């Protein structure tokens, strides 16, 4: 920014006026340039992580309110109807940006013409997906023997058009590591969408409240993304080196398609085999568990991908960043999912209500495999940030049929059978997946185990202590059960601080927080 002031402004001219005085091409160049980020990459990453985690905490609170209230205002069948559609539209969502947001973020050098071309491609894809999904409505209604699905599918198809408009401004905000702007946008979107859905449910709109929630959320995010970014596309024209961007994005997009297929296959199979009621219980358990998973993986990914992309050519530094990220995530997530696995029944009763009791065993089983989901996310971050979209696709194409095969094995045994079979398969393939991801880096399974052994060991100890406490005390009420489990976990982790190695590892995260003060630059 000092160079901008020196070149275009007098010493007393404000920086805002300087930007106005710059030629248009220079303004666009500064929107796409990332050289200034390297000077304080660690500080920006850590401050961005703090801002994003704060944002996700607020979103988590709003989503929890939505989950609790809507579960009491709507029926399992309402949730099942929408889940039948989202199980299918979730597959199409992988193509919503065609992986071109990652292409914009990951590229070291990119110009205005290239980003403009990507914008128009994203818009065309979004419009195409809207038309395709809308025409699938009658087919889905026939498959599920449920005529209401036709209209639900038509309305939800509009999210793809909205998503196509949002992709590139969202990618540019992430490329510039403008985490404060992203946090504002996301919180504002939830603050508008959640109350609207609750009011609709309260006034008797039924499943339409569940349809309105994602549509409103995506629309508000799209509008705010354009208001926050300074870039605007030019008219469509041929751009240089577009083929490599499309090849990278295509591999990423197909990879996300396979990922979404894995995540949607269980719900689609349950809906087809068992109907809307059981799918309602299964989808609520899955979505409730995925709520903290998404709140942790999305902000971490938003910070990790641009950070890893900047240091992809520094092998040892890249490895250290990954291991520190994995360690921090495990210290946060292991006790959380360990607690949820033990407290599944009281958590379901407290959050969703007693009528959702059949979801508790599914929730407990899925909580066991939640850490596997996070490691899959971290593998995606690593391969995308290194530009290895082809390897990512290959890995997911190997995993997908194995995981879907597990769902099919468990399907005749009900929703618990599907959850158990999927969880066992996911845990079993985890070592191979990590080994495949680490090829060509300074990372290894041994180094990863050394980085996460303490949080995982303490989690297992806390689970055993909590189960023993429940057995010996035998609390009858939901709150007393939750307090007993919480006491066991707090006691276990509190006593663990007395172990020198554990204390040293936990205190080492103070160095990360210290990076908050390394620079006065704005995140």
């Amino acid at each position: 920014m000092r160079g901008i002031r020196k070149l275009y402004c007098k010493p007393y001219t404000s920086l805002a006026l300087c930007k106005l005085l710059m030629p248009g091409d220079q303004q666009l160049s500064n929107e796409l340039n990332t050289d200034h980020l390297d000077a304080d990459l660690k500080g920006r990453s850590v401050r961005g992580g703090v801002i994003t985690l704060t944002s996700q905490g607020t979103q988590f609170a709003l989503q929890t309110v939505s989950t609790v209230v809507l579960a009491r205002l709507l029926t399992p069948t309402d949730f099942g109807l929408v889940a039948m559609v989202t199980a299918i539209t979730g597959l199409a969502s992988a193509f919503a940006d065609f992986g071109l947001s990652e292409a914009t973020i990951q590229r070291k050098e990119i110009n205005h013409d290239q980003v403009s071309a990507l914008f128009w491609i994203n818009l065309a894809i979004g419009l195409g997906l809207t038309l395709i999904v809308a025409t699938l409505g009658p087919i889905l209604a026939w498959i599920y023997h449920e005529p209401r699905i036709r209209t639900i599918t038509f309305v939800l198809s509009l999210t793809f058009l909205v998503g196509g408009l949002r992709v590139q401004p969202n990618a540019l905000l992430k490329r510039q590591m403008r985490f404060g702007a992203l946090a504002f946008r996301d919180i504002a979107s939830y603050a508008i969408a959640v109350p609207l859905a609750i009011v609709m449910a309260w006034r008797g709109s039924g499943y339409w409240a569940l349809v309105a929630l994602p549509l409103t959320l995506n629309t508000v995010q799209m509008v705010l993304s354009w208001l926050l970014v300074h870039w605007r596309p030019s008219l469509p024209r041929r751009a240089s080196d577009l083929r490599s961007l499309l090849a990278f994005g295509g591999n990423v997009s197909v990879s996300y398609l396979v990922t979404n297929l894995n995540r949607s296959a269980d719900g689609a199979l349950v809906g087809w085999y068992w109907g809307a009621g059981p799918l309602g219980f299964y989808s609520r358990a899955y979505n409730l568990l995925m709520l903290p998973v998404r709140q942790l993986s999305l902000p971490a990914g938003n910070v990790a991908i641009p950070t890893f992309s900047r240091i992809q050519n520094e092998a040892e530094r890249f490895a250290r960043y990954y291991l520190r990220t994995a360690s921090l995530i495990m210290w946060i997530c292991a006790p959380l999912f360990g607690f949820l696995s033990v407290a599944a029944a009281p958590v379901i009763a407290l959050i969703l209500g007693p009528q959702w009791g059949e979801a508790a065993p599914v929730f407990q089983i899925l909580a066991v495999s939640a850490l596997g989901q996070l490691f899959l996310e971290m593998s995606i971050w690593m391969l995308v940030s290194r530009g290895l979209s082809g390897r990512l696709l290959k890995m997911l194409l190997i995993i997908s049929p194995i995981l879907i095969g597990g769902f099919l094995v468990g399907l005749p045994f009900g929703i618990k059978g599907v959850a158990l079979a999927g969880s066992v398969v996911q845990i079993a393939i985890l070592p191979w997946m990590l080994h495949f991801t680490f090829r060509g880096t300074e990372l290894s399974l041994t180094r990863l185990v050394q980085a996460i052994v303490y949080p995982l060991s303490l989690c297992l100890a806390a689970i055993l202590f909590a189960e023993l406490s429940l057995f010996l005390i035998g609390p009858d009420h939901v709150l007393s059960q939750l307090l007993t489990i919480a006491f066991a976990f707090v006691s276990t982790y509190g006593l663990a601080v007395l172990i020198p190695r554990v204390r040293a590892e936990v205190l080492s995260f103070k160095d990360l927080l210290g990076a908050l003060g390394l620079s006065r630059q704005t995140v």
Side-chain angles (χ1 to χ4, degrees):
M1 288 302 179
R2 291 178 182 174
I4 293 172
R5 187 187 296 275
K6 181 178 180 181
L7 186 58
Y8 296 106
C9 308
K10 297 181 182 297
Y12 51 81
T13 308
S14 70
L15 184 56
L17 183 57
C18 286
K19 292 182 177 181
L20 292 176
L21 294 174
M22 283 190 295
D25 290 344
Q26 181 65 33
Q27 291 187 48
L28 294 173
S29 175
N30 283 310
E31 287 299 322
L32 301 177
N33 183 38
T34 59
D35 291 342
H36 61 288
L37 302 177
D38 296 333
D40 185 35
L41 185 61
K42 182 179 180 181
R44 283 182 177 273
S45 300
V46 176
R47 290 192 301 276
V50 172
I51 290 173
T52 310
L53 284 173
T54 303
S55 167
Q56 291 299 125
T58 306
Q59 294 174 60
F60 178 78
L62 290 170
Q63 287 180 298
T64 301
V65 170
S66 171
T67 300
V68 171
V69 176
L70 292 178
R72 284 162 171 78
L73 295 175
L74 303 175
T75 67
T77 300
D78 289 327
F79 286 96
L81 285 170
V82 177
M84 286 177 173
V85 178
T86 55
I88 305 302
T89 58
L91 300 179
S93 66
F95 288 107
D97 71 355
F98 201 66
L100 301 182
S101 61
E102 282 77 8
T104 300
I105 297 169
Q106 192 270 340
R107 256 303 175 85
K108 187 71 174 176
E109 301 288 343
I110 195 168
N111 60 48
H112 172 69
D113 287 345
Q114 290 172 330
V115 179
S116 291
L118 296 182
F119 166 77
W120 292 110
I121 292 171
N122 282 135
L123 181 58
I125 292 172
L127 179 59
L129 286 174
T130 293
L131 296 175
I132 292 171
V133 171
T135 59
L136 287 176
I139 299 174
L140 294 178
W142 174 74
I143 291 174
Y144 288 116
H145 309 290
E146 178 53 71
R148 289 174 289 182
I149 288 179
R150 182 185 295 108
T151 314
I152 295 172
T153 305
F154 175 78
V155 176
L156 283 176
S157 70
L158 297 174
T159 59
F160 295 106
L161 178 60
V162 174
L165 289 166
R166 186 189 61 188
V167 173
Q168 288 307 312
N170 181 58
L172 290 174
L173 288 171
K174 292 180 180 179
R175 178 179 173 84
Q176 290 292 330
M177 302 181 79
R178 293 181 58 192
F179 301 116
L182 290 165
F184 166 77
R185 181 203 67 183
D186 292 340
I187 292 173
S189 301
Y190 275 99
I192 294 172
V194 169
L196 175 62
I198 290 174
V199 170
M200 289 181 65
W202 177 63
R203 295 189 60 130
S205 297
Y207 56 80
W208 286 113
L210 301 174
V211 175
L213 182 57
L215 185 59
T216 305
L217 183 67
N218 279 278
T219 301
V220 176
Q221 285 183 341
M222 182 270 291
V223 172
L224 291 178
S225 294
W226 281 108
L227 292 175
L228 290 168
V229 77
H230 305 301
W231 175 87
R232 294 294 180 268
S234 57
L235 293 175
R237 61 173 178 258
R238 192 176 183 85
S240 62
D241 198 25
L242 195 59
R243 181 174 298 179
S244 64
L245 290 169
L246 292 175
F248 176 85
N251 283 332
V252 172
S253 182
V254 177
S255 298
Y256 286 161
L257 170 65
V258 177
T259 301
N260 288 347
L261 175 63
N262 295 338
R263 291 174 177 172
S264 303
D266 51 350
L269 290 170
V270 169
W272 167 72
Y273 195 92
W274 293 102
L279 177 57
F281 288 112
Y282 188 90
S283 66
R284 279 298 84 196
Y286 178 81
N287 287 332
L288 183 61
L289 181 68
M290 289 302 292
L291 187 60
V293 171
R294 293 190 185 105
Q295 297 304 317
L296 292 164
S297 64
L298 287 176
N302 287 341
V303 175
I305 291 178
T307 301
F308 290 168
S309 296
R310 302 285 84 78
I311 58 172
Q312 58 183 294
N313 296 322
E314 303 174 52
E316 182 57 32
R317 189 183 180 196
F318 187 98
R320 290 198 306 269
Y321 265 66
Y322 175 88
L323 293 173
R324 293 291 287 167
T325 301
S327 177
L328 180 58
I329 288 176
M330 286 303 105
W331 275 108
I332 296 172
C333 297
L336 172 62
F337 294 120
F339 175 86
L340 292 176
S341 69
V342 180
V347 165
I348 291 292
L350 182 65
I351 295 179
L352 300 182
Q355 72 272 25
W356 292 90
E358 292 183 45
V362 176
F363 184 81
Q364 184 174 39
I365 294 169
L366 293 176
V368 176
S369 64
L371 293 180
Q373 290 268 11
L374 288 171
F375 275 112
L376 174 60
E377 292 291 336
M378 285 190 280
S379 293
I380 293 174
W381 305 341
M382 172 179 285
L383 294 174
V384 168
S385 64
R386 295 175 61 204
L388 300 177
S389 58
R391 185 188 295 185
L392 172 62
L393 177 58
K394 181 179 179 181
M395 179 186 77
L396 293 173
L397 287 174
I398 294 172
I399 291 174
S400 181
I402 301 173
L403 188 58
I404 294 175
F407 295 146
L408 287 170
V409 169
L411 190 60
F413 302 97
I415 56 178
K416 290 187 287 187
V418 173
L420 180 60
S423 297
V424 169
V425 170
Q426 190 168 63
I427 293 172
I429 62 178
L430 187 59
W432 175 85
M433 182 189 74
L434 292 171
H435 177 75
F436 186 86
T437 302
F438 293 163
R439 278 170 40 192
T441 72
E442 297 296 318
L443 290 162
S444 65
L445 289 176
T446 301
R447 291 186 71 177
L448 178 62
V449 170
Q450 291 172 346
I452 64 174
V453 62
Y454 288 114
L456 288 183
S457 299
L458 284 174
C459 175
L460 292 174
I463 289 174
L464 292 175
F465 185 25
E467 291 285 5
L468 180 62
S469 300
L470 288 174
F471 176 76
L472 294 176
I473 299 173
D476 296 325
H477 300 291
V478 168
L479 289 179
S480 59
Q481 291 171 357
L482 289 173
L483 288 174
T484 300
I485 299 168
F487 175 78
F489 271 78
V490 171
S491 300
T492 301
Y493 281 85
L495 291 172
V497 176
L498 300 176
I499 303 174
R501 291 290 299 273
V502 172
R503 185 168 63 250
E505 185 164 333
V506 173
L507 291 176
S508 70
F509 292 116
K510 291 176 64 177
D511 296 336
L512 288 177
L513 297 178
L516 288 168
L518 287 180
S519 172
R520 297 180 181 178
Q521 297 179 31
T522 302
V523 176

